[in-house]
Amino acid sequence: MKKLNANEIYDDLIENVKGQQGTIFFNLADVCLKVDGTDTVGKTLQEWLKEYLKANNYYFREPANTQAFPDFFLDEKDDINLLEIKSFHYTKTPAFDIANFDSYCAKIEFDPYCLYADYLVFGYEMIDGTISIEDIWLKKIWEIAGTSARYPLKTQIKRDVIYNIRPNSNFKKGKPSVFKNEIDFLKAVEGTIRPYKGEQRATEWKNNFCKNYENHFGREILF
C-alpha cells in the first residue's frame, strides 16, 4: 500500500474530486430512494473517503473504536499523521462540530500530539439530491476554530453547558484565521476552561498538557 500524508491526499482530492458530483441512494425491500436531505452527507463523505483510499491503495487505519479520535491514521504510529474529516453545506456558514469540548481538552491534555492532527474539510452543495464538491480545505484546528463574545473559544452552548467546539468562517473566505498558531489556540482553550470549569481545573489542565508535551516532543511549550 502507498503511504501518503494529509497534504498529499489533499492534493489528490483537489485534482480528482473537487468539482465532482455524486448521489446517495438507500435501497430496502426493492424500494430505492434517492436521499435529498443533508443530514447524512457528512458521514457518507467520510465513508466514501475510506473507500476512495482503499480503491487507490492508499494506507490508512481506523481506531478500534470508530467513535474515537481521529477518524483515520495515515501511519502505523499513533502519534503522527492523524486525520479528521469534516463537512458543511458550502452556501451556508460553517457550523460543523470540530470536537466535543470536554473530550478534546482531555485528549490533548494527555496526548498532546493530537493538537497537530489535520482536518480535511469538504464544502458541498446539494440540489435535488445531487451533491457537488465545491471546495476542500486542509487545516489545523487553530485555523478553523473561532472565538466568541462569551468565551475565547467559539463553542456550542446549551443552558450554560459547553458541548462542541465550533468553527469560524474565515477559512471558507480565504481570510486569516482567528488564531495565528497553536499557542493562540491553547490560550483560548485555557481561557475557556478557566471561567467554565474553574481556576483549579484550568491550572491542572495546563500543567498536565505542558508536562506531557515536553515529555513527548522533548521541548517546552509556553502559553
Side-chain angles (χ1 to χ4, degrees):
M1 299 185 76
K2 185 177 181 181
K3 275 190 180 180
L4 298 183
N5 60 34
N7 284 290
E8 290 169 324
I9 289 175
Y10 169 75
D11 289 341
D12 180 292
L13 294 172
I14 288 294
E15 181 178 354
N16 298 303
V17 176
K18 182 180 176 181
Q20 296 291 320
Q21 295 182 336
T23 50
I24 303 172
F25 288 95
F26 179 68
N27 196 323
L28 178 64
D30 293 327
V31 176
C32 186
L33 167 70
K34 183 179 181 181
V35 179
D36 60 3
T38 60
D39 292 351
T40 62
V41 174
K43 183 61 177 175
T44 301
L45 281 172
Q46 182 177 325
E47 291 299 312
W48 170 85
L49 180 61
K50 181 167 65 173
E51 296 305 313
Y52 183 83
L53 297 177
K54 287 180 183 178
N56 286 280
N57 204 33
Y58 296 155
Y59 177 86
F60 75 97
R61 294 183 294 122
E62 294 180 278
N65 176 2
T66 56
Q67 301 300 313
F69 181 95
D71 293 323
F72 299 129
F73 296 98
L74 302 179
D75 195 276
E76 288 94 346
K77 297 180 180 179
D78 288 350
D79 60 350
I80 59 173
N81 293 330
L82 314 181
L83 186 64
E84 279 278 290
I85 313 302
K86 302 296 175 183
S87 62
F88 69 98
H89 202 290
Y90 185 74
T91 60
K92 298 181 180 180
T93 300
F96 54 86
D97 297 331
I98 297 176
N100 174 271
F101 176 74
D102 286 337
S103 297
Y104 184 80
C105 291
K107 186 66 176 175
I108 65 170
E109 179 179 0
F110 295 101
D111 296 327
Y113 55 85
C114 291
L115 174 67
Y116 297 104
D118 290 295
Y119 289 76
L120 187 67
V121 183
F122 290 89
Y124 67 88
E125 178 70 275
M126 191 176 201
I127 300 175
D128 297 328
T130 298
I131 301 165
S132 302
I133 303 302
E134 299 295 321
D135 209 345
I136 309 171
W137 299 265
L138 185 67
K139 299 291 183 181
K140 298 297 187 183
I141 192 168
W142 58 87
E143 296 177 304
I144 57 175
T147 189
S148 69
R150 182 166 182 179
Y151 291 115
L153 194 64
K154 185 178 180 180
T155 56
Q156 176 194 40
I157 304 171
K158 296 180 181 179
R159 296 184 179 180
D160 290 331
V161 176
I162 294 178
Y163 286 90
N164 298 302
I165 302 172
R166 286 289 174 84
N168 66 66
S169 298
N170 289 16
F171 76 91
K172 175 188 174 183
K173 300 173 182 177
K175 295 181 179 180
S177 57
V178 176
F179 306 115
K180 293 180 181 178
N181 50 41
E182 69 266 46
I183 301 299
D184 284 352
F185 174 73
L186 289 168
K187 288 178 180 177
V189 173
E190 182 196 7
T192 301
I193 295 174
R194 198 168 298 280
Y196 181 57
K197 295 286 188 177
E199 188 78 22
Q200 182 176 347
R201 173 58 185 141
T203 300
E204 176 189 52
W205 178 85
K206 182 176 181 178
N207 289 341
N208 284 338
F209 175 85
C210 291
K211 178 187 69 176
N212 290 317
Y213 188 99
E214 184 172 2
N215 288 341
H216 184 83
F217 292 104
R219 63 179 186 271
E220 282 188 324
I221 186 167
L222 302 175
F223 60 93

